[in-house]
Amino acid sequence: MSMNHAPETSARQVAAALAVGTIGVLMVGIQPILLGELVEAKQISLEGVGIVAMAEIVTLGLGVVLGDALMPWSRLRLITIVAALLAAGLDLLTLLAAGDGAMTAVRAAAGLPEGILIWGATGVVVRTANPSRIAGIFFVAQTVAQAALGAVLANLVIPHSGWQGGFVTLAVLALLPCLLAFRQPARLRPLAPPTVSGFRWSMATLLPLAVAFLQLATLGSFWAYLEPLGKAAGFDARAAQTLIAGVLAMQVVGGTVASFTVRRLAVVPTLVACSIVLAAVTTTIHQLPPGSMLNFALGCALFGFVWLFMLPFHIGLAFRADASGRLAGLVPAAQLLGSAFGPLTASFIVEGENAAAVPLLSAAFAIAAALMLLVSRRRNAAATAMRGAR
């Protein structure tokens, strides 16, 4: 059977692919736990935490891009197995790394095969009959898995085996795609080439990636400094951690709602509304006086809901610009790079323990995304009117 006649993917195959992608992105959710333990053990410095974290997230995004550019869909199972073995090996190699430079190099290298795993899962998602809804399920699965693994590491693994046990656990989980590879599709039908689909890079095709980048920069910058912002609002360390858990729960709610509504809501107005809500929340939090713990918590809950609710619409926006799905396959890369760029930019405006200006930066990213969508929509409407007049 040729690639052009690859069979339709079954629900079981889609589930296996989502599981593979979820494993690929696990480290993003548990970075605060493992990197914090590395600092406590003096394996890396406090200053190096941000560099190590950003390096892995950036290479995750690059892994998705490289997969799209270089990897053949006819070898999906083999690629998944090789990527899983490389990721597991680099997780174990982390046990031997010491110092900011060595740890950054190892974790940046680990990001590439992790990104390849995400690339494979995204390739399956964009070829389903309802990619936006499947993407919503994918995002919820990622959040639930990250939260569950974080709880296991914090309460069972690390107290007994330290940070080393955390990375060994991550390595064992990274091997699971070697089994799941045989349950996901052996190959995928190729996407229509640009000569057939008419795809070409332009402002219109760059827009979905730019919006995803800016909106994830909004989320990433605020999320990275949520704990110091919470402490400034009056939360102690334990209450701040409880708040973070609550935000994760609201993310799951938001993603679940999105998976049922993504086909019923218009993509552009929804994303504009999400940007406006995020800008309003972060601006309001910036203006809250010390001690406004309830209002701060409510704002964070709304922030968490919008976070995962919004992400499936990025896939829908990409399909509006390119029906072949080629552009949608790059959305995770734009999201990952945005989530790295936000905290990196925020780090330049933080003064010591004072992160008060960060919510305003998040609001600026959100407003930029909304304006980009509105301007593009107006231009498209004007172009359509001109064609109609002719």
Side-chain angles (χ1 to χ4, degrees):
M1 184 179 293
S2 71
M3 265 186 70
N4 290 323
H5 297 89
E8 294 296 323
T9 53
S10 66
R12 188 182 73 172
Q13 290 175 324
V14 172
L18 297 189
V20 169
T22 297
I23 291 168
V25 81
L26 278 177
M27 182 58 182
V28 175
I30 61 172
Q31 270 186 342
I33 296 173
L34 291 181
L35 296 186
E37 289 297 318
L38 289 175
V39 172
E40 288 291 324
K42 301 189 183 304
Q43 294 294 114
I44 59 174
S45 68
L46 183 60
E47 293 79 8
V49 168
I51 298 172
V52 175
M54 293 308 104
E56 185 163 359
I57 293 175
V58 167
T59 54
L60 269 163
L62 292 177
V64 177
V65 173
L66 291 175
D68 181 73
L70 303 176
M71 301 297 174
W73 290 110
S74 59
R75 302 280 184 170
L76 180 58
R77 286 180 177 173
L78 177 61
I79 291 169
T80 298
I81 292 169
V82 172
L85 291 173
L86 286 173
L90 288 162
D91 286 336
L92 294 177
L93 188 59
T94 305
L95 303 179
L96 304 178
D100 294 350
M103 195 64 69
T104 299
V106 173
R107 295 318 305 169
L112 289 173
E114 290 167 350
I116 295 294
L117 295 177
I118 298 168
W119 160 80
T122 305
V124 174
V125 169
V126 301
R127 288 167 172 81
T128 60
N130 191 351
S132 297
R133 182 177 182 183
I134 299 301
I137 296 171
F138 188 23
F139 293 130
V140 170
Q142 292 173 22
T143 304
V144 171
Q146 290 168 353
L149 179 58
V152 170
L153 292 180
N155 295 289
L156 298 176
V157 176
I158 292 176
H160 294 93
S161 305
W163 65 268
Q164 295 93 336
F167 281 103
V168 170
T169 301
L170 201 62
V172 171
L173 292 173
L175 290 174
L176 290 179
C178 294
L179 300 176
L180 292 168
F182 296 98
R183 291 185 172 271
Q184 68 179 6
R187 59 187 178 276
L188 295 173
R189 59 179 172 80
L191 298 173
T195 53
V196 175
S197 67
F199 175 82
R200 62 184 179 86
W201 288 110
S202 64
M203 292 300 294
T205 51
L206 285 172
L207 174 72
L209 301 183
V211 169
F213 178 89
L214 287 171
Q215 290 189 323
L216 266 293
T218 301
L219 301 171
S221 54
F222 183 79
W223 181 249
Y225 291 92
L226 181 59
E227 187 166 347
L229 288 169
K231 289 180 179 178
F235 291 87
D236 58 25
R238 184 173 182 179
Q241 292 170 0
T242 302
L243 176 64
I244 290 172
V247 174
L248 288 171
M250 288 303 297
Q251 287 181 28
V252 173
V253 174
T256 302
V257 172
S259 67
F260 290 104
T261 61
V262 68
R263 297 189 71 179
R264 297 179 176 87
L265 299 176
V267 172
V268 172
T270 300
L271 287 174
V272 170
C274 288
S275 275
I276 292 172
V277 171
L278 290 174
V281 166
T282 51
T283 302
T284 300
I285 284 177
H286 173 73
Q287 297 174 343
L288 288 177
S292 303
M293 296 171 62
L294 177 59
N295 289 334
F296 185 91
L298 290 174
C300 289
L302 182 57
F303 179 90
F305 178 90
V306 174
W307 183 332
L308 238 64
F309 177 83
M310 180 174 66
L311 299 190
F313 290 90
H314 291 160
I315 301 293
L317 188 66
F319 269 99
R320 282 169 56 97
D322 168 38
S324 74
R326 187 174 304 276
L327 192 63
L330 295 175
V331 166
Q335 292 172 333
L336 287 163
L337 293 174
S339 66
F341 181 77
L344 178 63
T345 307
S347 68
F348 293 117
I349 63 172
V350 173
E351 299 178 359
E353 296 294 321
N354 184 6
V358 170
L360 292 182
L361 176 67
S362 295
F365 284 134
I367 291 168
L371 289 175
M372 189 176 291
L373 285 164
L374 291 172
V375 169
S376 175
R377 189 181 190 189
R378 180 171 294 182
R379 286 180 177 174
N380 290 340
T384 301
M386 288 180 63
R387 287 194 296 268
R390 292 174 187 171

